[in-house]
Amino acid sequence: WNQELVEEVGTAIGDEVKRYGADCLLAPALNIHRNPLLGRNFEYYSEDPVISGKTAAAMVRGVQSNGVGATIKHFALNNQETNRMANDVQVDQQTAREIYLKGFEIAVRESQPWAVMTSYNKINGTYAPENEDLIESILRQEWGFEGMVMTDWGGGRDAVATVKAGNDLLMPGNANQIKAIIEAVQNGLLDEKIIDRNVARILEFIERSPKMQGYQFQNDPDMAAHAQVSRSSATEGMVLLKNNGALPLARDCKMIALYGTSSYDMYVVGTGSGSVNYKHAVGLNEGLIAAGYKLEPSVSSAYSKYVEEHNSRVGANQFMRTNLTNHVIPESLVRKPYQYRADAIASDIAIITIGRSCGESADRGYEGDYTLTDIEQGLIKDVCDAFHSKGKKVVVILNIGAPIETASWKARPDAILLAGLPGQEAGYAITDVLKGAVNPSGKLVDTYVVDFNKMPSTANFPVNARELQSQARANRNNPDAKPVAKYDYTEYKERLDIGYRYYDRHPDQVSYPFGFGLSYTTFEYSEPQARNEDGVINLSVKVTNTGSVAGKEAVQVYIEAPKCGFNKLTKELKVYGKTALLQPGESQTLEFTLSQYELAGFDVSTSNWLTVPGDYKADFAASSQDIRCQAQFTIGAASTYPAYGTL
């Protein structure tokens, strides 16, 4: 929720791109978190297109400030990994525009990336790389994209159609594609002017690259400085979900019972092309010890021994690895009740880390992945029972790349900290928050639900991916077989009911709402203002730190539009910002601006964007379900904005 910090991270990444001799980063990725089980949620940003688009734009600006390129991807509607090369996304125009394309539009308009990468999947029957309306009409004509478009590796089935549609660069390219393109030109099926157009865009891309500018790379980025950027961004992204006085750790806390394999070998990245090789990632055990805490020896020695032995068997230098132990806690590490009671006597507090990986090429599972395993449920129960019986507290750390189920167990521990995938400085960053050196200020970018099976998207998401794949394979030899739903095609029947847009109408089904996050201090919102000045909506709100320690607050502005025939189903996040570090009693007025276009909805009847007239409400909120104050403004006349192309 801090665009300036995201840009700082992008600047550090772009510096490494340049100094390592690359010209373009194939990132960031910003597809929507349609469902918690999507494998690539870890590298996508949110269930909300505004968060997705503005975060991607900030990352692109930071990367490209170094004179290297960034590539936004995967364009578009890449919202499942199951059969990602051929799955046909079936979606209505309003949903596609307002939810799944809007983030890309924001990123293009606010950062002008050097490149866009098309996705593998079909959209309403046409492969994304072969969709001229998507690439030439929407991306270029409507949004004003000026850079180069490339396919994902092996994307598109018809090379000629892919070139015609506006993919300038076919990656990685092969002899059959070259032959097909040449023959199409020779046979008059492909106008040579299209080839010239695409080649010109490639040459323009090359011309601005560091290599063509004569830059000699040195392989010498300032890794120590970048580690500090990693540490600060990790701490600011952490979300405090619960705190009954357990955090920050008490000054007299010295001995910690540290449970969970991920405490000793943390997940810091996801798998696949979003991963990197890294020399070392700091474990939570290392971070706590470096800060002067002691670890209860019988617990830490058991977990450390298991991690060391397991990693020695699987090899520590796997390419694109996450951590090596996975999240499985083996039976051998399950202690007896009397042992947990002994741990509670010897320790001042217990910390349990729950770890989850996710990544490219496969979606996550439900049992034991989205949900906790029986061993994890038992660990939380047994540790909480033992420590609470001694009047001591328990903290759970979520070292995860995407949402997991929380409703069944969250009542047990005293505090829950969502650490996410915290990067190379993970253990140091988490410790900074635990001990209070950093006051947590992160907010959720997804809704954490009570019942996954009641999520609107779940009925049309490949939860049982292996069964669907087997069915599809069996159908290959049967010409009369029907396509397999959620594998050969996926219907977005939930339409606009993604995340908080649905759950704000069903708050009883929410474990933690979108935008939620606690702090070690408290904040008061006051003096809300909203003014329509010549078509520009100026908004402001005063935020005061009413607690006893310094902290930052992420303020969310949701807009409630007048009712109309095609109106959205609920209020929508339109803009947000974060305060500076406010001392106790200190105030800051945050100011925001919105254009009338940013308030427009997609009118399917005219295939244009329309901002309806009437009275609007601006909700200044701490989460989608915690509106602190409101202001009203009026739009006197309707405004129509042209849209190009139909998916």
Side-chain angles (χ1 to χ4, degrees):
W1 297 84
N2 186 335
Q3 294 177 62
E4 291 77 15
L5 183 55
V6 174
E7 194 164 332
E8 184 180 348
V9 173
T11 300
I13 292 173
D15 178 71
E16 293 186 18
V17 170
K18 186 173 184 177
R19 291 179 182 273
Y20 285 141
D23 295 312
C24 186
L25 180 71
L26 299 181
L30 64 144
N31 294 93
I32 294 295
H33 295 178
R34 178 175 175 253
N35 189 278
L37 299 192
L38 170 60
R40 299 188 83 159
N41 279 347
F42 83 94
E43 61 177 315
Y44 298 160
Y45 291 125
S46 175
E47 70 183 32
D48 179 73
V50 171
I51 282 282
S52 301
K54 290 186 175 294
T55 305
M59 183 66 73
V60 169
R61 289 194 299 268
V63 170
Q64 294 188 168
S65 68
N66 294 275
V68 296
T71 308
I72 60 173
K73 61 182 187 181
H74 304 88
F75 190 58
L77 289 111
N78 174 215
N79 305 108
Q80 68 181 60
E81 289 297 280
T82 300
N83 195 29
R84 62 176 180 163
M85 300 290 289
N87 177 256
D88 183 11
V89 173
Q90 298 180 1
V91 61
D92 69 276
Q93 298 301 304
Q94 184 183 12
T95 300
R97 288 294 199 139
E98 294 187 9
I99 303 294
Y100 297 98
L101 296 187
K102 180 55 71 172
F104 286 95
E105 177 185 356
I106 292 169
V108 167
R109 292 186 186 275
E110 296 189 4
S111 69
Q112 198 56 249
W114 284 22
V116 170
M117 181 187 292
T118 49
S119 58
Y120 287 126
N121 52 279
K122 297 176 184 176
I123 303 172
N124 293 329
T126 302
Y127 282 103
E130 300 173 12
N131 193 321
E132 188 171 1
D133 273 6
L134 178 68
I135 300 167
E136 289 297 315
S137 299
I138 297 174
L139 175 63
R140 292 193 182 278
Q141 186 178 2
E142 184 177 333
W143 301 346
F145 177 65
E146 299 172 353
M148 181 182 72
V149 176
M150 70 178 80
T151 67
D152 204 338
W153 265 235
R157 298 298 174 91
D158 184 327
V160 175
T162 302
V163 168
K164 281 183 178 180
N167 284 267
D168 307 306
L169 184 63
L170 276 57
M171 294 301 297
N174 60 58
N176 289 334
Q177 289 175 322
I178 294 170
K179 180 181 178 183
I181 292 168
I182 292 174
E183 289 180 351
V185 173
Q186 291 172 340
N187 296 333
L189 300 176
L190 178 60
D191 192 332
E192 193 169 341
K193 291 181 181 179
I194 291 177
I195 301 295
D196 292 341
R197 175 199 69 182
N198 293 12
V199 169
R201 292 169 181 165
I202 296 171
L203 293 175
E204 289 166 357
F205 178 94
I206 292 172
E207 193 277 332
R208 40 198 311 208
S209 68
K211 287 185 177 64
M212 287 298 290
Q213 299 300 319
Y215 174 74
Q216 300 295 318
F217 72 89
Q218 303 297 316
N219 252 15
D220 63 347
D222 188 343
M223 300 306 287
H226 293 179
Q228 290 304 308
V229 173
S230 176
R231 185 168 177 170
S232 64
S233 65
T235 56
E236 192 149 334
M238 293 181 192
V239 183
L240 185 61
L241 296 177
K242 179 181 180 179
N243 190 23
N244 290 337
L247 297 176
L249 297 174
R251 291 188 177 182
D252 59 355
C253 177
K254 295 181 173 60
M255 183 70 72
I256 297 172
L258 185 62
Y259 303 92
T261 54
S262 296
S263 294
Y264 301 83
D265 188 11
M266 305 207 77
Y267 291 107
V268 297
V269 293
T271 62
S273 62
S275 180
V276 294
N277 288 314
Y278 53 89
K279 183 177 181 180
H280 178 68
V282 179
L284 179 54
N285 58 328
E286 297 174 85
L288 291 169
I289 291 171
Y293 297 101
K294 296 180 180 179
L295 303 183
E296 201 289 319
S298 66
V299 176
S300 62
S301 62
Y303 276 98
S304 296
K305 181 180 179 181
Y306 170 79
V307 168
E308 182 179 352
E309 291 179 350
H310 182 278
N311 287 357
S312 68
R313 291 195 301 272
V314 300
N317 295 312
Q318 294 180 353
F319 178 58
M320 292 183 175
R321 76 186 187 101
T322 54
N323 71 2
L324 298 176
T325 56
N326 209 322
H327 67 265
V328 176
I329 300 175
E331 290 281 355
S332 62
L333 291 177
V334 176
R335 298 163 78 80
K336 303 295 184 183
Y338 75 87
Q339 292 176 302
Y340 289 120
R341 290 194 292 271
D343 298 341
I345 293 171
S347 307
D348 298 309
I349 197 169
I351 296 176
I352 303 168
T353 302
I354 302 296
R356 289 292 186 273
S357 178
C358 53
E360 186 178 1
S361 300
D363 295 310
R364 297 169 59 202
Y366 175 72
E367 294 286 348
D369 190 342
Y370 175 78
T371 64
L372 266 59
T373 65
D374 291 343
I375 288 179
E376 289 168 331
Q377 289 275 13
L379 175 65
I380 292 174
K381 180 184 183 301
D382 291 345
V383 170
C384 287
D385 287 348
F387 276 73
H388 290 166
S389 71
K390 302 300 179 183
K392 297 177 181 179
K393 297 186 181 296
V394 179
V395 178
V396 170
I397 307 294
L398 298 181
N399 175 207
I400 58 179
I404 64 171
E405 190 276 330
T406 57
S408 67
W409 57 269
K410 69 179 185 179
R412 295 186 185 278
D414 302 282
I416 303 171
L417 178 66
L418 171 59
L421 303 180
Q424 67 188 57
E425 302 294 289
Y428 296 149
I430 296 172
T431 302
D432 286 342
V433 173
L434 293 177
K435 71 179 185 180
V438 175
N439 189 346
S441 61
K443 299 289 185 84
L444 291 180
V445 292
D446 295 287
T447 304
Y448 279 53
V449 305
V450 173
D451 188 345
F452 168 83
N453 293 300
K454 291 182 180 179
M455 290 188 72
S457 66
T458 295
N460 289 285
F461 190 85
V463 178
N464 53 336
R466 290 184 178 178
E467 295 175 20
L468 297 172
Q469 184 181 46
S470 297
Q471 184 179 347
R473 286 176 174 171
N475 286 352
R476 288 176 184 172
N477 296 323
N478 181 4
D480 297 323
K482 295 181 179 180
V484 179
K486 297 178 284 187
Y487 188 87
D488 294 320
Y489 67 95
T490 301
E491 298 178 278
Y492 285 29
K493 288 185 176 181
E494 71 280 358
R495 301 188 72 243
L496 303 175
D497 274 343
I498 291 296
Y500 70 89
R501 286 168 169 79
Y502 173 80
Y503 282 103
D504 281 357
R505 306 196 312 277
H506 304 276
D508 59 312
Q509 297 180 28
V510 175
S511 181
Y512 294 107
F514 175 85
F516 176 82
L518 300 174
S519 171
Y520 297 151
T521 189
T522 55
F523 298 95
E524 178 184 89
Y525 294 32
S526 62
E527 301 178 17
Q529 299 287 330
R531 302 173 302 280
N532 184 350
E533 298 177 349
D534 298 323
V536 177
I537 314 303
N538 292 299
L539 307 163
S540 64
V541 67
K542 183 179 179 181
V543 181
T544 303
N545 183 345
T546 54
S548 59
V549 296
K552 299 178 181 180
E553 173 71 345
V555 176
Q556 303 148 50
V557 184
Y558 298 86
I559 300 297
E560 297 183 47
K563 298 298 181 182
C564 64
F566 70 96
N567 197 32
K568 290 95 175 152
L569 300 174
T570 184
K571 63 183 183 292
E572 292 187 301
L573 180 73
K574 289 297 181 182
V575 68
Y576 59 91
K578 206 167 197 179
T579 67
L581 185 68
L582 300 180
Q583 298 300 319
E586 186 179 4
S587 299
Q588 179 182 352
T589 297
L590 292 180
E591 298 179 342
F592 312 92
T593 60
L594 285 171
S595 68
Q596 289 193 176
Y597 173 70
E598 290 174 279
L599 304 177
F602 193 77
D603 184 0
V604 177
S605 66
T606 62
S607 292
N608 286 312
W609 292 95
L610 174 64
T611 302
V612 298
D615 295 330
Y616 288 72
K617 289 181 181 178
D619 300 336
F620 299 93
S623 81
S624 70
Q625 296 185 6
D626 185 8
I627 299 171
R628 299 295 181 86
C629 53
Q630 293 180 319
Q632 185 171 298
F633 61 93
T634 301
I635 292 178
S639 300
T640 302
Y641 307 90
Y644 303 94
T646 301
L647 294 180

